[in-house]
């Protein structure tokens, strides 16, 4: 009997394929670098752009798609069992002709992942046969059907949708190393205005600033910038309305995942004194902004000056290259020359003291931040004044500087909201009722969660641990448009076989190495 050669089995073939893939990727990268270096040379032949003799023709057999990363997304959705979670949680369709609830949800999320701006952009994917072949679908729901599906939701169904996504999220978190759970799970909450000029959208109202629309409340996981829960109200409602069950749901989710230390954060509207004792009894830490009531300002002003100490700002990140020269502040020079009246900060000091809110049965720690401001006109200082900002916490171990630092880091959630608004286009109101728009936001926000899951599931090779950890960090912090360019907008040829759909990458991209590592893991 003839003995098989070493490496002739499946494992050997996969190892050879990986080596060939790494060789091809490295060759493409080196070729690009040589080309760019060679291009930096004196040019006497004329402009570089616009000289190609371009001819178009229609390919006969080759079938390609621009969004080649969607095959990877389909593999990720299948690996997490997301479709099964959605179908088991939602019961909105009497018949499946042919679409299931998960098909409608993923249709909206895939639309955002393909860089779409509106629901009508679904028609582009619906009319792309190569895209449909690539994801294994005979067709996609049209934009009108997608809007009708949003209108089938009630409040309980929207929450069931979000809980189904969070169960899939637990699957991603469970694949993380123990160090992921040894850190503090930080949960942020904030609300943002979703304006609309339409007059017939049910549930809209006018905000304090005179803008018509909705108020979208979001509770997010700050460690990975993932939206955990969304809620929607009329624009004139308090920003914290309905946040307590969402906070509690996020706490339960983090504990179910394996986190033992949980920290809640929010601005002054979220310092809900009716809940502080309960959260404290439950072992949950919190840092909330607190209103600068007249009594609080009076108490902070009565503290002896020597008890205040200067706020230590976070150290700037060290850079390896020579620091750049600081640019001239052109705006400040104009303000001084024209003698505009301005406020300038000269110092920040902090002090802490015990305080019992009226609806609490125990004392908590309040950190007072005192800003020394000077009112100036030109180069003349007119007078000085103090302004106070307060933060309430049940953590007695953090320093005053750390408490203020946590409160300021909450601003990272504003970046997440900006991404969901401007690039994912999730925080928009394309449908005609409040609950339907809430459902649309939850479905579209799934696109951002998928982006975060791609980063969290990116494998780390021990040999290249430092480089791979940095890639994961960059991908997790990457804005949505950059993610689409790196992982989704990859030109691919789609070849349908008897048992598989093969996506053949047609052009090199800098992130292809990480992309193939993720695909191999899935």
């Amino acid at each position: 009997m003839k003995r098989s050669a070493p490496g002739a089995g499946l494992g050997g073939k996969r190892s050879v394929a990986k080596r060939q893939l790494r060789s091809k990727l490295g060759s493409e990268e080196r070729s690009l670098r040589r080309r760019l270096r060679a291009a930096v040379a004196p040019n006497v032949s004329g402009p570089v752009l616009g000289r190609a003799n371009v001819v178009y023709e229609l390919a006969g057999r080759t079938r390609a798609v621009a969004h080649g990363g969607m095959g990877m997304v389909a593999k990720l959705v299948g690996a997490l069992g997301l479709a099964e979670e959605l179908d088991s949680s939602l019961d909105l369709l009497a018949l499946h002709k042919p679409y299931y609830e998960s098909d409608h949800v993923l249709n909206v999320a895939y639309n955002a992942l393909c860089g779409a701006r509106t629901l009508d952009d679904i028609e582009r994917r619906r009319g792309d046969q190569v895209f449909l072949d690539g994801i294994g679908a005979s067709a996609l729901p049209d934009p009108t059907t997608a809007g009708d599906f949003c209108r089938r939701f009630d409040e309980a169904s929207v929450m069931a949708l979000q809980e189904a996504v969070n169960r899939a999220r637990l699957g991603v978190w469970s694949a993380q190393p123990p160090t992921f759970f040894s850190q503090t799970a930080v949960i942020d909450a904030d609300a943002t205005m979703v304006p609309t000029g339409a007059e017939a959208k049910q549930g809209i109202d006018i905000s304090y600033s005179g803008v018509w629309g909705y108020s979208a409340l979001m509770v997010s996981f700050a460690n990975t910038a993932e939206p955990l829960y969304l809620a929607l109200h009329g624009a004139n409602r308090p920003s914290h309305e309905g946040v307590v069950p969402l906070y509690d749901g996020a706490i339960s989710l983090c504990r179910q995942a394996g986190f033992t230390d949980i920290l809640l954060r929010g601005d002054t509207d979220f310092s809900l004194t009716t809940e502080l004792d309960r959260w404290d009894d439950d072992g949950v830490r919190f840092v909330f902004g607190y209103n600068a009531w007249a009594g609080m300002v009076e108490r902070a002003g009565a503290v002896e000056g020597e008890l205040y100490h200067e706020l230590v700002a976070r150290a700037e990140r060290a850079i390896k290259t020579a620091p750049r020269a600081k640019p001239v502040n052109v705006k400040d020079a104009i303000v001084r020359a024209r003698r505009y009246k301005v406020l300038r900060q000269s110092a920040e000091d902090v002090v802490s003291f015990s305080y019992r809110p009226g609806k609490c049965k125990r004392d908590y720690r309040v950190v007072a931040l005192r800003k020394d401001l000077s009112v100036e006109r030109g180069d003349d200082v007119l007078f000085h004044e103090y302004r106070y900002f307060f933060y309430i916490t049940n953590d007695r171990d953090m320093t005053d500087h750390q408490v203020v630092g946590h409160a300021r880091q909450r601003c990272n959630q504003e970046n997440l909201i900006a991404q969901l608004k401007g690039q994912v286009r999730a925080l928009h109101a394309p449908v005609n009722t409040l609950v339907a728009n809430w459902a649309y936001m939850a479905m579209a926000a799934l696109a951002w969660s998928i982006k975060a899951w791609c980063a969290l599931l990116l494998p780390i090779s021990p040999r290249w641990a430092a480089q791979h950890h940095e890639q994961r960090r960059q991908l997790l912090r990457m804005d949505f448009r950059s993610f689409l360019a790196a992982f989704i907008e990859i030109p691919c040829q789609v070849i349908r076989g008897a048992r598989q759909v093969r996506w053949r990458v047609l052009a090199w991209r800098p992130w292809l190495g990480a992309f193939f590592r993720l695909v191999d893991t899935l």
Side-chain angles (χ1 to χ4, degrees), residues 188-237:
D188 288 334
D190 203 359
T192 186
M193 179 69 184
V194 179
T196 174
E199 298 180 356
K201 289 189 184 292
Q202 179 266 330
I204 63 170
D205 214 320
I206 188 168
S207 70
Y208 69 92
S209 59
V211 178
W212 286 90
Y214 298 104
S215 174
L217 170 65
M218 184 174 69
V219 173
S220 64
F221 184 58
N223 302 48
T224 56
E226 295 178 69
L228 303 181
Y229 292 101
L230 287 167
L232 197 64
H233 307 284
N236 73 328
R237 303 305 305 160

Side-chain angles (χ1 to χ4, degrees), residues 2 105 289 343 390 404 426 462 475:
K2 187 176 180 180
V105 174
L343 281 174
F390 300 95
V404 176
L475 187 57

Side-chain angles (χ1 to χ4, degrees), residues 199-462:
E199 298 180 356
K201 289 189 184 292
Q202 179 266 330
I204 63 170
D205 214 320
I206 188 168
S207 70
Y208 69 92
S209 59
V211 178
W212 286 90
Y214 298 104
S215 174
L217 170 65
M218 184 174 69
V219 173
S220 64
F221 184 58
N223 302 48
T224 56
E226 295 178 69
L228 303 181
Y229 292 101
L230 287 167
L232 197 64
H233 307 284
N236 73 328
R237 303 305 305 160
S239 60
H240 63 273
E241 185 172 294
V243 75
V244 173
L246 303 187
Y247 265 143
D248 291 342
I251 292 169
S252 175
L253 182 71
C254 290
R255 283 193 168 144
Q256 188 177 351
F259 290 96
T260 56
D261 184 25
I262 299 175
L263 175 68
L264 304 182
R265 299 192 305 202
D267 62 21
T268 56
D269 286 339
F270 294 87
S271 55
L272 305 172
T273 55
T274 56
E275 309 298 324
L276 299 186
D277 287 347
R278 181 173 64 86
W279 284 329
D280 189 42
D281 290 336
D282 198 24
V284 176
R285 297 188 296 138
F286 53 80
V287 174
F288 294 118
Y290 202 75
N291 282 315
W293 307 114
M296 294 291 288
V297 173
E298 182 179 353
R299 181 164 181 177
V303 175
E304 305 244 351
E306 57 268 19
L307 295 180
Y308 278 92
H309 46 281
E310 184 179 357
L311 179 67
V312 178
R314 185 180 60 178
E316 294 186 2
R317 179 174 58 90
I319 57 176
K320 298 179 180 180
T321 57
R324 297 180 181 178
K326 190 173 182 179
V328 177
N329 192 330
V330 179
K331 179 179 177 181
D332 183 67
I334 295 174
V335 169
R336 290 182 183 275
R338 297 181 183 177
R339 295 183 60 79
Y340 292 143
K341 186 177 178 181
V342 294
L343 281 174
R344 300 187 191 278
Q345 180 178 293
S346 57
E348 286 184 307
D349 303 301
V350 288
V351 72
S352 61
F353 51 84
S354 292
Y355 174 74
R356 180 178 299 182
K359 296 180 181 179
C360 295
K361 297 181 179 180
R362 67 193 66 156
D363 291 350
Y364 292 102
R365 176 185 174 196
V366 169
V367 176
L369 170 64
R370 184 181 68 182
K371 293 191 175 187
D372 187 357
L373 304 175
S374 60
V375 181
E376 301 180 8
R377 189 183 296 277
D379 292 326
D380 300 328
V381 178
L382 303 181
F383 58 89
H384 285 268
E385 68 172 292
Y386 288 131
R387 290 191 182 177
Y388 295 91
F389 299 84
F390 300 95
Y391 309 95
I392 189 167
T393 179
N394 61 342
D395 191 306
R396 302 285 180 178
D397 297 326
M398 283 195 294
T399 65
D400 294 345
H401 314 287
Q402 290 172 330
V403 172
V404 176
H406 261 298
R408 289 180 170 177
Q409 288 168 15
R410 194 192 56 79
C411 295
N412 289 332
Q413 193 189 31
E414 295 182 8
N415 297 328
L416 172 57
I417 291 174
Q419 289 289 312
L420 291 176
K421 261 189 174 182
Q423 296 192 20
V424 186
R425 302 283 291 182
L427 300 184
H428 282 261
V431 207
N432 65 336
T433 69
L434 185 147
V435 177
N437 282 309
W438 181 14
Y440 168 80
M441 293 178 187
M443 289 186 279
L446 175 58
W448 179 271
S449 291
I450 289 175
K451 176 251 183 192
W453 296 346
C454 288
L456 292 174
L457 292 176
L458 194 63
I460 305 296
S461 173

Side-chain angles (χ1 to χ4, degrees), residues 77-94:
V77 168
L80 296 177
L82 178 58
E84 291 79 6
E85 291 287 0
L86 292 169
D87 289 329
S88 65
S89 299
L90 300 176
D91 185 17
L92 304 175
L93 303 172

